Every structure is written in C-alpha cells, then in structure tokens.
Amino acid sequence: MTTEDQPAEGFAARMAFALQKDPLEAPRRTHLHLRLIAITLAWLVTVPLLLIYGLTGPGHTDNVLDLAAFLTLLGPFAAAVLATKNRRFGLGGGYIVLTLLMVLPAAAITRL
C-alpha cells in the first residue's frame, strides 16, 4: 500500500474536509439576507410612522413615542444578532454600528 492510497490523517484530513463546499450554504445565505432585509424594511417603515403618529396624533401620546424610541434601537440590534448568529460577522458588525448610532436619536425621541 502506497502513501497515496492511505487516507489522510490528522490536520490534513480536517483541512480537506473543511474545504469541501456545503451544498446548502447558498440557500441559507439567501434566506438570511431576505430576513435581514425584512427586518430592516420593517424598521425603516415602522419607526417613522410611530413618530408621525406620536407627534401629530390626538393628545401627543407619550407611549407611542416611547415605543418609537425602543424600536429605533431594537430593529438594528435584532438584525445584528441574527447576522452574527449565522456567522456573518461583517453584516453583524455593520448593524451593531447602526445600533450605536441610533442611541442619540432614541434619546432625543424620549425627550419630545
């Protein structure tokens, strides 16, 4: 038996296995990106609608503005958790930066 006929052992075998393409990777990534787009679009529509209703609605309701401030932070944070959980650390980091950028607007909304 030659060395070419023997299966690779140890580190080389693990690396060869790790380099094999997973056939389900592309559908998983597509599904993840669709969920991230849905979260982002829901966030981009819901927060302004709540702000408009809270500022122009009957009685200037503070509960609606508090909900808008909460959702201002929750949308990008949920997307960051989802992306990071699915090993898309670049996208997760981008959403974390967006969450941190939304802290000041959320604080301003609660003062209205």
Side-chain angles (χ1 to χ4, degrees):
M1 196 177 211
T2 65
T3 56
E4 293 176 6
D5 296 336
Q6 295 176 349
E9 295 179 9
F11 181 75
R14 289 191 304 269
M15 288 306 296
F17 179 75
L19 291 176
Q20 292 176 352
K21 291 260 185 188
D22 183 10
L24 297 176
E25 181 64 26
R28 269 187 260 164
R29 288 178 110 184
T30 302
H31 185 68
L32 170 68
H33 290 154
L34 288 175
R35 290 191 332 194
L36 288 174
I37 289 170
I39 289 172
T40 305
L41 286 177
W43 174 70
L44 288 172
V45 170
T46 304
V47 171
L49 287 176
L50 286 173
L51 281 174
I52 290 170
Y53 180 76
L55 294 174
T56 62
H60 186 73
T61 55
D62 290 333
N63 293 337
V64 174
L65 292 176
D66 290 342
L67 180 62
F70 177 69
L71 290 179
T72 299
L73 295 174
L74 183 67
F77 181 74
V81 168
L82 183 65
T84 306
K85 179 182 169 195
N86 287 290
R87 298 182 184 153
R88 301 289 295 162
F89 300 113
L91 279 173
Y95 279 110
I96 287 172
V97 169
L98 184 60
T99 302
L100 293 174
L101 289 174
M102 291 294 113
V103 169
L104 289 176
I109 291 170
T110 58
R111 291 182 179 238
L112 292 175

